[in-house]
């Protein structure tokens, strides 16, 4: 039964009740004799990792992470001072030469983290800190090329800073471009040029990667190889990523270019069904992480596990006997180092604790959209339309998982997870055909919609107004944000609430949503 049909049967009154480094340096901390709070847990244990993540929608291919023994043998990351990356036209005179005169400077000493405030401050530093200096996404040549910025429509601060990457200095003459920080995907350059950390980011990452592939002249085999590493899921029904690989170099690059700002094809997801970049502000109150609810979030330990896994260690996962970087289980058991971006070292548990504490501390900026007569009218419509059933105040989410149309909920899931067993009919492919797919989508919070966008889990709609436009249900609709590279039109189906409202009521409802 569809949720809209179910809601129509409820009485009106019931509605109202209801987010490497430094392989080149060779610098990793081996001495574990550092201070730590007794509260800081050991997060990567074999027992904890057994059931922390939900099974894959095809359970036989659920993720198998590395062992506790393997994980804790990885050297801990050393955190060095970083420096901003400027658009070439805005770089201060002599800045590049000055960077090459700097010495390496370690900026995080865990023995000095004595209070919660110390941990939060350290967590912000870690949030901004890149874990890769090998050019996993972009490299020095790209960001010092003016064409890079125009080709990607790269957001900049008023000072001309590109805030999604950092320079890391490993010693005099050793300047490396750092990629893959938390901030890369979870920082938003606002309309006034200010930075909002933790928000749905607007890093045009897939366009940046397409520029890198083209400007570096990466061969067809190379483009296919890296795309398979990122997204390969040969066990998925119809193997859509295998078909993408067979379409050739140019088509694959066009698929990267099609992903809009505000979405990002992170590893294990897809550029065919790219996930909207999550908003981390308020994530402390969410029960599931990832659009498909892959990671349970029951406590700070779960957040720490999520950070550790998602800073590239999931490249070491096995899905059945499949591993995307071509590892064998025997190779993992050998204990030999694996030199792949982000997988040869790890954050210490103290660093993960600091990062989680910082993410938990994030708060939204002041909302410029103040309550008004029209928004108060929209508040009533919000209840009347049954929105409160799933987007329940004060969090504006019921923190539950809803199944995709193609997923049959196993009986045992009802006892293990928070299930709202009715589909809203949105596109099922992300959660059914990727390595991160669970068969579910989590019910998102509506808090902070005013600084977010594009919308829906696949970032297919640019504005809230588009959500309530009945035209989006037609096959001749042109999506206003993400549109697959190989189609001209595509229906954006599902979540069909509010479409029957008159224009005045739609405006009132949107006005209310923007006050949240």
């Amino acid at each position: 039964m569809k949720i809209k049909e179910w809601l129509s049967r409820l009485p009106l009154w019931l509605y109202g009740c209801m987010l490497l480094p430094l392989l080149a340096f060779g610098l990793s901390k081996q001495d574990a004799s550092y201070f730590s709070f007794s509260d800081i847990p050991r997060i990567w244990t074999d027992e904890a990792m057994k059931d922390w993540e939900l099974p894959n929608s095809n359970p036989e291919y659920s993720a198998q992470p590395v062992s506790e023994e393997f994980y804790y043998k990885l050297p801990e990351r050393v955190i060095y001072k970083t420096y901003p990356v400027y658009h070439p036209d805005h770089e201060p005179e002599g800045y590049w030469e000055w960077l090459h005169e700097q010495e390496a400077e370690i900026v995080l000493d865990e023995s000095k983290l004595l209070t919660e405030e110390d941990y939060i401050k350290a967590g912000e530093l870690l949030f901004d800190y890149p874990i890769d200096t090998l050019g996993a996404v972009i490299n020095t040549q790209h960001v010092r090329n003016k064409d890079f910025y125009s080709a990607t429509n790269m957001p900049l601060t008023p000072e001309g800073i590109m805030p999604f990457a950092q320079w890391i200095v490993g010693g005099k003459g050793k300047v490396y471009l750092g990629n893959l920080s938390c901030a890369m995907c979870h920082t938003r350059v606002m309309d006034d040029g200010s930075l909002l950390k933790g928000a749905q980011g607007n890093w045009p990452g897939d366009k940046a990667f397409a520029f890198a592939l083209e400007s570096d002249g990466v061969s067809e085999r190379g483009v296919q190889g890296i795309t398979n590493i990122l997204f390969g899921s040969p066990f998925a029904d119809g193997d859509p990523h295998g078909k993408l690989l067979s379409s050739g170099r140019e088509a694959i690059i066009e698929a990267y270019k099609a992903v809009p700002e505000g979405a990002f094809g992170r590893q294990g997801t897809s550029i065919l069904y790219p996930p909207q970049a999550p908003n981390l502000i308020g994530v402390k109150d969410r029960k599931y992480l990832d659009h498909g609810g892959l990671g349970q979030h029951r406590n700070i330990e779960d957040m720490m596990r999520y950070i550790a896994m998602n800073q590239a260690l999931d490249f070491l996962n096995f899905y059945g006997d499949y591993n995307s970087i071509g590892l064998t289980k025997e190779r993992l058991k050998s204990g030999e180092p694996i030199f792949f971006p982000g997988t040869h070292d790890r954050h210490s548990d103290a660093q993960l604790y600091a990062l989680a504490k910082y993410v938990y501390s994030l708060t939204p900026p002041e909302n410029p959209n103040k309550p008004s007569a029209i928004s108060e009218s929209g508040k009533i419509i919000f209840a009347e339309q049954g929105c409160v059933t799933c987007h329940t105040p004060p969090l504006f989410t019921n923190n539950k998982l809803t199944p995709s149309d193609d997923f049959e909920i196993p009986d045992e899931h009802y006892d293990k997870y928070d299930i709202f067993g009715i589909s809203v009919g949105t596109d099922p492919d992300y959660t059914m055909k990727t390595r991160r797919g669970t068969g579910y989508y989590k019910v998102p919070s509506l808090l902070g919609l005013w600084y977010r966008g594009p919308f829906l889990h696949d970032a297919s709609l640019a504005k809230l107004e588009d959500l309530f436009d009945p035209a989006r249900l037609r096959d001749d609709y042109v999506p206003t944000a993400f549109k697959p590279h190989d189609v001209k039109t595509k229906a954006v189906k599902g979540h069909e609430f509010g479409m029957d409202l008159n224009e005045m009521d739609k405006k009132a409802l949107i006005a209310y949503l923007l006050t949240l």
Side-chain angles (χ1 to χ4, degrees):
M1 178 171 58
K2 299 287 188 180
I3 188 170
K4 192 170 185 180
E5 177 186 352
W6 180 80
L7 285 170
S8 69
R9 300 180 183 179
L10 292 180
L12 180 62
W13 62 266
L14 186 58
Y15 294 139
C17 301
M18 318 270 256
L19 194 285
L20 265 142
L22 317 186
L23 176 61
F25 303 173
L27 297 172
S28 288
K29 180 173 63 180
Q30 304 291 347
D31 181 7
S33 60
Y34 60 93
F35 174 88
S36 65
F37 275 157
S38 59
D39 290 342
I40 297 176
R42 184 178 176 90
I43 56 100
W44 200 288
T45 67
D46 292 335
E47 185 63 28
M49 300 304 288
K50 280 181 184 177
D51 64 355
W52 161 60
E53 288 190 338
L54 270 68
N56 191 272
S57 54
N58 188 340
E60 183 181 351
Y61 297 98
S62 298
Q64 305 165 48
V66 297
S67 69
E68 178 179 357
E69 179 183 15
F70 181 98
Y71 178 81
Y72 281 106
K73 281 183 178 178
L74 292 171
E76 295 173 2
R77 290 187 177 120
V78 179
I79 309 303
Y80 292 87
K81 186 174 182 179
T82 63
Y83 301 83
V85 175
Y86 289 89
H87 183 288
D89 287 342
H90 296 275
E91 185 175 281
E93 184 176 355
Y95 180 70
W96 185 239
E97 293 74 20
W98 175 82
L99 279 177
H100 283 76
E101 291 299 315
Q102 304 310 300
E103 297 282 4
E105 181 180 348
I106 297 174
V107 292
L108 180 59
D109 181 351
E110 292 171 17
S111 70
K112 295 181 179 179
L113 303 181
L114 305 178
T115 66
E116 180 156 321
E117 289 72 22
D118 292 339
Y119 274 85
I120 291 172
K121 184 176 180 181
E124 182 173 13
L125 186 154
L126 291 160
F127 184 85
D128 293 334
Y129 193 76
I131 66 166
D132 164 61
T133 57
L134 299 180
V137 183
I138 52 176
N139 63 32
T140 298
Q141 288 68 38
H142 304 143
V143 300
R144 295 188 62 75
N145 181 345
K146 295 180 185 180
D147 293 341
F148 169 75
Y149 298 87
S150 57
T152 59
N153 195 28
M154 183 65 66
L156 301 172
T157 70
E159 300 80 16
I161 292 172
M162 192 270 284
F164 308 109
Q166 301 278 331
W167 296 118
I168 302 178
V169 172
K172 280 192 174 182
K174 297 180 180 179
V175 180
Y176 306 94
L177 184 72
N179 286 274
L180 304 182
S181 67
C182 301
M184 180 176 255
C185 298
H186 301 290
T187 296
R188 193 174 189 93
V189 181
M190 304 294 280
D191 290 342
D192 63 0
S194 63
L195 298 182
L196 183 53
K197 291 185 180 182
Q200 178 183 353
N202 53 359
W203 151 247
D206 291 296
K207 289 181 172 65
F209 194 52
F211 179 88
L213 294 173
E214 288 189 316
S215 64
D216 293 351
V218 178
S219 68
E220 177 164 315
R221 185 175 180 182
V223 170
Q224 291 170 326
I226 188 59
T227 303
N228 185 63
I229 285 172
L230 289 169
F231 311 120
S233 51
F235 48 84
D237 184 35
D239 191 12
H241 297 99
K243 292 177 181 176
L244 175 64
L245 299 183
S246 67
S247 67
R249 179 180 185 272
E250 303 309 318
I252 297 170
I253 290 175
E254 288 304 311
Y256 283 105
K257 290 180 180 180
V259 180
E261 297 82 355
F264 187 52
R266 68 189 304 180
Q267 72 271 15
T269 65
S270 181
I271 47 176
L272 299 175
Y273 336 108
Q276 175 198 56
N279 176 36
L280 300 183
I281 298 172
V283 74
K284 182 178 180 180
D285 298 317
R286 311 289 176 261
K287 288 188 177 181
Y288 296 93
L289 306 171
D290 257 24
H291 283 292
L294 176 63
Q296 296 186 81
H297 186 208
R298 302 158 295 191
N299 47 45
I300 196 169
E301 292 97 317
D302 281 342
M303 176 58 75
M304 293 164 67
R305 290 181 192 105
Y306 185 81
I307 295 168
M309 178 68 82
N310 286 277
Q311 289 204 323
L313 281 180
D314 51 348
F315 282 117
L316 304 184
N317 285 352
F318 275 81
Y319 304 85
D321 290 325
Y322 176 75
N323 172 268
S324 70
I325 64 174
L327 294 176
T328 63
K329 294 180 180 179
E330 291 70 25
R331 172 75 170 79
L332 272 185
K333 290 177 183 177
S334 74
E336 297 176 15
I338 297 168
F339 294 115
F340 187 82
T343 66
H344 70 284
D345 58 1
R346 63 177 176 86
H347 282 313
S348 70
D349 285 339
Q351 290 172 355
L352 291 171
Y353 184 80
L355 249 171
K357 280 290 186 180
Y358 172 68
V359 171
Y360 281 1
S361 76
L362 292 168
T363 56
E366 182 179 358
N367 191 335
N369 302 287
K370 306 303 180 186
S372 63
I374 188 171
S375 71
E376 287 301 302
S377 175
K379 183 176 182 179
I380 296 171
I381 295 167
F382 185 80
E384 291 176 343
Q385 290 291 303
C387 307
V388 292
T389 305
C390 293
H391 301 289
T392 313
L395 299 178
F396 289 88
T397 173
N398 61 13
N399 265 323
K400 294 187 176 184
L401 303 173
T402 67
S404 77
D405 280 346
D406 296 345
F407 185 64
E408 184 174 342
I409 303 173
D411 290 341
E412 63 270 20
H413 282 201
Y414 286 101
D415 294 328
K416 297 180 70 173
Y417 312 119
D418 301 280
I419 307 295
F420 185 67
I422 301 169
S423 173
V424 296
T426 51
D427 190 295
D429 289 338
Y430 169 88
T431 199
M432 296 299 294
K433 296 181 179 181
T434 70
R435 301 200 295 257
R436 290 177 181 259
T438 63
Y440 299 102
Y441 290 116
K442 69 177 181 183
V443 176
S445 172
L446 302 184
L447 294 175
L449 285 176
W450 70 270
Y451 60 74
R452 289 155 58 184
F455 300 102
L456 294 184
H457 70 265
D458 59 359
S460 56
L461 300 176
K463 302 180 297 181
L464 288 176
E465 287 81 358
D466 302 330
L467 187 64
F468 302 109
D469 181 2
R472 70 174 173 86
L473 304 178
R474 301 197 311 253
D475 290 335
D476 62 351
Y477 183 71
V478 179
T480 52
F482 172 69
K483 177 172 68 69
H485 69 288
D486 56 353
V487 302
K488 293 183 178 180
T489 63
K490 182 179 185 293
V492 179
K493 297 182 179 179
H495 203 279
E496 299 174 15
F497 312 107
M499 288 189 172
D500 297 332
L501 294 171
N502 62 46
E503 289 305 309
M504 183 177 295
D505 285 348
K506 286 181 183 179
K507 288 180 180 179
L509 179 56
I510 291 170
Y512 172 63
L513 294 173
L514 292 176
T515 68
L516 300 180

